[in-house]
Amino acid sequence: MSAIYTTDEYGRPFIIVREQDKKHRKTGIEATKAHIMAAKTVSNIVRTSLGPRGLDKILISPDGDITISNDGATIMSQMAIENQIGKLLVELSKSQDDEIGDGTTGIVVLAGALLEQAEELLDRGIHPIRISDGFERACKIAVAHLDKVSDVIPWSKDDTSDLFKCAKTSLGSKIVNKCHDQFAQIAVDAILSVADLERKDVDFELIKMEGKVGGELANTALVKGVVIDKDFSHPQMPKEIKDAKIAILTCPFEPPKPKTKHKLDITTVKEFEELQKYERDTFENMIKQVKDCGANVVACQWGFDDEANSLLLQHKLPAIRWVGGPEIELLAIATNGRIVPRFEDLSSQKLGSAGTIREMTFGTTNENMIVVEDCANSKA
């Protein structure tokens, strides 16, 4: 023990801590070997999940949430690693996932194997910098050999069979392997929809994934358009609109309010009726401005009350409210529309266009989602 519990002459407890002479900090080769041991331990954990015979890992978070996966990036990100060298391997796995999207387990196992070989070289008295330089030279030789033996696989938008095989291989270690072919085809179609083939670049921000509780993996579908996790503001509004002209608004459907603190005293019925008439006239004017510019659908970033909702229904103007910031930007990009901050700025040139807007039901909870298809800008 490094401490002794005792009491003084008055019975008050105190602790006597012994001097920490026996403890010392590891340095030199000893410290290097300790770091290698930590990295090998992390590598050995994910090693058994590699390959076709790899086993899944069960990870339990401090909150009790259970994750079952054999995906290297998922396992590494969920592990609560305290050791700094172990954390470096987690970052290595994360970088591989961000850059390539696959090979996260293999790269950690490879790093562990290289460090294991480095340990043997350290025992022979070779300096760590010489070992590092040797790995650099070996890497160049390996890359040069790969360039010699590699083949160029031609592909085009019409023939995507090789891309399909690549996607299928990458999905082999994921939980979706029951619907292998379907998800591989969805991945290929989604990438080709937004890829800039001239620049050989893919903007993943243009691909959005929405999940719903219930249903089966086989129910997954690719929507070439925009999916908004909302429904139409009134249940009696039409569920499908053809040749939609969309007014994208960031201004609320409500009468203007003073910027400063305000108070309105109503003392008579007549004053209340006048206020009600003013609000109704304001709503009517807003709806007229939307209708006059040629819009037949409204997407609003803000909400509106039941009166405005009722008037929109009466004027046969379907509306979507509480559309989030990222969703409203995606909608504007996809439909070639402009985000309008004021009703006075509305014009036919600022409207977005889409072939179909429809409301769909997903999952066992029967939650509704808006799907905007046949958009003016197909790469969104």
Side-chain angles (χ1 to χ4, degrees), residues 49 109 141 156 194:
S49 66
V109 173
I141 294 168
S156 64
V194 299

Side-chain angles (χ1 to χ4, degrees), residues 212-215 231 359-369:
K212 286 292 177 185
V213 176
D231 52 5
E359 192 175 277
M360 294 177 67
T361 304
F362 288 93
T364 52
T365 53
N366 292 328
E367 291 184 35
N368 295 325
M369 298 172 82

Side-chain angles (χ1 to χ4, degrees), residues 176-318:
V176 298
N177 53 11
K178 289 181 182 176
C179 305
H180 233 147
D181 294 353
Q182 181 187 354
F183 276 84
Q185 193 61 53
I186 286 174
V188 171
D189 292 344
I191 292 295
L192 290 178
S193 298
V194 299
D196 188 340
L197 298 179
E198 292 180 5
R199 291 174 54 208
K200 295 183 179 179
D201 184 40
V202 179
D203 185 2
F204 288 106
E205 294 295 322
L206 295 175
I207 300 174
K208 183 183 174 187
M209 286 184 284
E210 285 283 352
K212 286 292 177 185
V213 176
E216 299 177 349
L217 283 173
N219 295 341
T220 306
L222 175 66
V223 176
K224 292 188 177 180
V226 179
V227 177
I228 303 172
D229 194 8
K230 304 287 176 189
D231 52 5
F232 286 114
S233 58
H234 199 288
Q236 293 181 8
M237 286 177 177
K239 303 299 181 189
E240 186 171 347
I241 300 116
K242 299 279 188 183
D243 298 324
K245 298 292 181 185
I246 310 161
I248 305 168
L249 304 173
T250 54
C251 47
F253 263 99
E254 60 182 24
K257 295 175 181 176
K259 296 292 182 186
T260 57
K261 290 183 179 179
H262 61 282
K263 183 181 178 184
L264 184 63
D265 291 323
I266 298 173
T267 54
T268 63
V269 174
K270 186 179 179 184
E271 287 177 351
F272 179 77
E273 288 175 348
E274 286 178 356
L275 177 64
Q276 197 175 25
K277 184 177 181 299
Y278 166 72
E279 286 191 352
R280 188 179 180 85
D281 290 344
T282 305
F283 287 138
E284 292 273 7
N285 186 40
M286 289 175 176
I287 292 169
K288 183 177 181 298
Q289 287 175 321
V290 174
K291 296 279 279 187
D292 287 347
C293 71
N296 56 4
V297 182
V298 176
C300 186
Q301 190 176 14
W302 302 98
F304 35 82
D305 59 16
D306 291 339
E307 186 177 1
N309 205 9
S310 177
L311 285 170
L312 285 165
L313 179 65
Q314 289 175 24
H315 287 82
K316 297 180 180 178
L317 190 61

